[in-house]
Amino acid sequence: LYFSAQEGILFFYHIKSLQYEMKICAEILQPISNLIFSPDYTILLLITDQGTVYTYKPAHSGEAVKLLDACSSCFLAADFLTPGNKYCVSVTISGEVQVWLLEDATCLSKLNLYIEVCVT
């Protein structure tokens, strides 16, 4: 079980029978608003309240890596494009939809909706 705290800490609970172990996986020092696993569960996207997107690879137990930084408009949501986990799609508050290559955060495509977006 992965979850985040308001302080921007990603936790992992390993639950087995009536026993559990808690581990701190990553600290990004920004409140995390969303966690999304890739279809094959090898990558976890972390989206912060400030609109920055990080990747975390549970099998490697490393640090969260900043993938996309909020520049002119905060990233509101992101998800993987399936099948596979090579690409993700994001949307900003200003309504810009972007497709990204996860390997090096290359923006492959953009579409402006020309409307402010919100999540409900």
Side-chain angles (χ1 to χ4, degrees):
L1 172 67
Y2 285 90
F3 73 95
S4 64
Q6 285 290 4
E7 298 83 23
I9 301 170
L10 177 66
F11 292 97
F12 171 70
Y13 267 95
H14 181 250
I15 303 167
K16 188 173 183 179
S17 186
L18 297 175
Q19 303 292 325
Y20 72 91
E21 176 185 349
M22 185 185 79
K23 174 183 164 189
I24 295 176
C25 298
E27 296 182 50
I28 59 173
L29 306 176
Q30 295 179 18
I32 299 168
S33 59
N34 209 344
L35 302 172
I36 303 154
F37 260 111
S38 63
D40 64 0
Y41 297 99
T42 59
I43 302 172
L44 186 62
L45 288 181
L46 313 170
I47 297 114
T48 70
D49 284 352
Q50 281 90 21
T52 306
V53 180
Y54 291 82
T55 59
Y56 177 77
K57 295 182 178 180
H60 295 95
S61 299
E63 288 293 313
V65 176
K66 188 183 291 184
L67 177 66
L68 308 171
D69 200 0
C71 306
S72 58
S73 181
C74 287
F75 292 104
L76 189 58
D79 202 351
F80 290 89
L81 287 177
T82 56
N85 57 356
K86 289 178 63 175
Y87 308 99
C88 77
V89 63
S90 65
V91 64
T92 63
I93 292 171
S94 63
E96 187 172 78
V97 178
Q98 300 168 322
V99 176
W100 302 90
L101 181 62
L102 284 173
E103 184 178 296
D104 60 3
T106 301
C107 181
L108 302 174
S109 181
K110 290 182 186 182
L111 171 67
N112 199 323
L113 302 175
Y114 298 106
I115 188 166
E116 193 169 296
V117 177
C118 65
V119 174
T120 57

